[in-house]
PDB file of all heavy atoms in Angstrom:
ATOM      1  N   ASN A 410     -38.142  -9.874  -9.350  1.00 40.00           N
ATOM      2  CA  ASN A 410     -36.979 -10.472  -8.668  1.00 40.00           C
ATOM      3  C   ASN A 410     -37.105 -10.621  -7.211  1.00 40.00           C
ATOM      4  O   ASN A 410     -36.392 -11.375  -6.737  1.00 40.00           O
ATOM      5  CB  ASN A 410     -35.727  -9.661  -9.074  1.00 40.00           C
ATOM      6  CG  ASN A 410     -35.296  -9.833 -10.485  1.00 40.00           C
ATOM      7  OD1 ASN A 410     -35.230 -10.934 -11.017  1.00 40.00           O
ATOM      8  ND2 ASN A 410     -35.305  -8.778 -11.209  1.00 40.00           N
ATOM      9  N   SER A 411     -37.957  -9.859  -6.636  1.00 39.00           N
ATOM     10  CA  SER A 411     -38.034  -9.893  -5.068  1.00 39.00           C
ATOM     11  C   SER A 411     -38.544 -11.247  -4.680  1.00 39.00           C
ATOM     12  O   SER A 411     -38.260 -11.772  -3.656  1.00 39.00           O
ATOM     13  CB  SER A 411     -38.980  -8.846  -4.535  1.00 39.00           C
ATOM     14  OG  SER A 411     -40.291  -8.944  -5.144  1.00 39.00           O
ATOM     15  N   THR A 499     -32.658  -6.692  -1.972  1.00 93.00           N
ATOM     16  CA  THR A 499     -33.611  -7.015  -3.016  1.00 93.00           C
ATOM     17  C   THR A 499     -33.429  -6.071  -4.209  1.00 93.00           C
ATOM     18  O   THR A 499     -33.471  -6.535  -5.317  1.00 93.00           O
ATOM     19  CB  THR A 499     -35.023  -6.824  -2.452  1.00 93.00           C
ATOM     20  OG1 THR A 499     -35.146  -7.733  -1.344  1.00 93.00           O
ATOM     21  CG2 THR A 499     -36.036  -7.176  -3.480  1.00 93.00           C
ATOM     22  N   GLU A 500     -33.126  -4.840  -3.920  1.00 92.00           N
ATOM     23  CA  GLU A 500     -32.881  -3.860  -5.120  1.00 92.00           C
ATOM     24  C   GLU A 500     -31.660  -4.315  -5.832  1.00 92.00           C
ATOM     25  O   GLU A 500     -31.614  -4.142  -7.070  1.00 92.00           O
ATOM     26  CB  GLU A 500     -32.777  -2.484  -4.423  1.00 92.00           C
ATOM     27  CG  GLU A 500     -32.680  -1.394  -5.535  1.00 92.00           C
ATOM     28  CD  GLU A 500     -32.635  -0.050  -4.857  1.00 92.00           C
ATOM     29  OE1 GLU A 500     -32.795   0.080  -3.641  1.00 92.00           O
ATOM     30  OE2 GLU A 500     -32.495   0.942  -5.639  1.00 92.00           O
ATOM     31  N   LEU A 501     -30.634  -4.665  -5.111  1.00 93.00           N
ATOM     32  CA  LEU A 501     -29.294  -4.986  -5.687  1.00 93.00           C
ATOM     33  C   LEU A 501     -29.507  -6.250  -6.622  1.00 93.00           C
ATOM     34  O   LEU A 501     -28.881  -6.315  -7.625  1.00 93.00           O
ATOM     35  CB  LEU A 501     -28.281  -5.323  -4.535  1.00 93.00           C
ATOM     36  CG  LEU A 501     -26.846  -4.993  -4.872  1.00 93.00           C
ATOM     37  CD1 LEU A 501     -26.664  -3.492  -5.232  1.00 93.00           C
ATOM     38  CD2 LEU A 501     -26.084  -5.305  -3.602  1.00 93.00           C
ATOM     39  N   VAL A 502     -30.250  -7.195  -6.129  1.00 92.00           N
ATOM     40  CA  VAL A 502     -30.498  -8.429  -6.918  1.00 92.00           C
ATOM     41  C   VAL A 502     -31.204  -8.090  -8.270  1.00 92.00           C
ATOM     42  O   VAL A 502     -30.824  -8.567  -9.291  1.00 92.00           O
ATOM     43  CB  VAL A 502     -31.383  -9.429  -6.092  1.00 92.00           C
ATOM     44  CG1 VAL A 502     -31.840 -10.551  -7.037  1.00 92.00           C
ATOM     45  CG2 VAL A 502     -30.580 -10.061  -5.033  1.00 92.00           C
ATOM     46  N   GLU A 503     -32.188  -7.194  -8.175  1.00 91.00           N
ATOM     47  CA  GLU A 503     -32.879  -6.772  -9.350  1.00 91.00           C
ATOM     48  C   GLU A 503     -31.964  -6.120 -10.398  1.00 91.00           C
ATOM     49  O   GLU A 503     -32.040  -6.336 -11.618  1.00 91.00           O
ATOM     50  CB  GLU A 503     -34.065  -5.796  -8.981  1.00 91.00           C
ATOM     51  CG  GLU A 503     -35.098  -6.400  -8.250  1.00 91.00           C
ATOM     52  CD  GLU A 503     -36.223  -5.399  -7.808  1.00 91.00           C
ATOM     53  OE1 GLU A 503     -36.071  -4.160  -8.227  1.00 91.00           O
ATOM     54  OE2 GLU A 503     -37.244  -5.813  -7.181  1.00 91.00           O
ATOM     55  N   LYS A 504     -30.987  -5.343  -9.867  1.00 90.00           N
ATOM     56  CA  LYS A 504     -30.098  -4.620 -10.770  1.00 90.00           C
ATOM     57  C   LYS A 504     -28.972  -5.489 -11.300  1.00 90.00           C
ATOM     58  O   LYS A 504     -28.505  -5.201 -12.433  1.00 90.00           O
ATOM     59  CB  LYS A 504     -29.523  -3.368  -9.982  1.00 90.00           C
ATOM     60  CG  LYS A 504     -30.591  -2.271  -9.763  1.00 90.00           C
ATOM     61  CD  LYS A 504     -29.778  -1.099  -9.211  1.00 90.00           C
ATOM     62  CE  LYS A 504     -30.905   0.068  -8.976  1.00 90.00           C
ATOM     63  NZ  LYS A 504     -30.151   1.338  -8.428  1.00 90.00           N
ATOM     64  N   SER A 505     -28.569  -6.442 -10.479  1.00 88.00           N
ATOM     65  CA  SER A 505     -27.344  -7.240 -10.849  1.00 88.00           C
ATOM     66  C   SER A 505     -27.657  -8.379 -11.763  1.00 88.00           C
ATOM     67  O   SER A 505     -26.848  -8.789 -12.521  1.00 88.00           O
ATOM     68  CB  SER A 505     -26.676  -7.647  -9.576  1.00 88.00           C
ATOM     69  OG  SER A 505     -27.432  -8.471  -8.826  1.00 88.00           O
ATOM     70  N   LEU A 506     -28.858  -9.047 -11.542  1.00 82.00           N
ATOM     71  CA  LEU A 506     -29.173 -10.234 -12.349  1.00 82.00           C
ATOM     72  C   LEU A 506     -29.232  -9.881 -13.835  1.00 82.00           C
ATOM     73  O   LEU A 506     -29.876  -8.855 -14.253  1.00 82.00           O
ATOM     74  CB  LEU A 506     -30.423 -10.872 -11.882  1.00 82.00           C
ATOM     75  CG  LEU A 506     -30.388 -11.721 -10.607  1.00 82.00           C
ATOM     76  CD1 LEU A 506     -31.771 -12.333 -10.298  1.00 82.00           C
ATOM     77  CD2 LEU A 506     -29.368 -12.808 -10.807  1.00 82.00           C
TER      78      LEU A 506
END
Side-chain angles (χ1 to χ4, degrees):
N410 288 308
S411 61
T499 302
E500 186 179 355
L501 211 56
V502 169
E503 292 177 0
K504 292 184 176 182
S505 63
L506 279 182

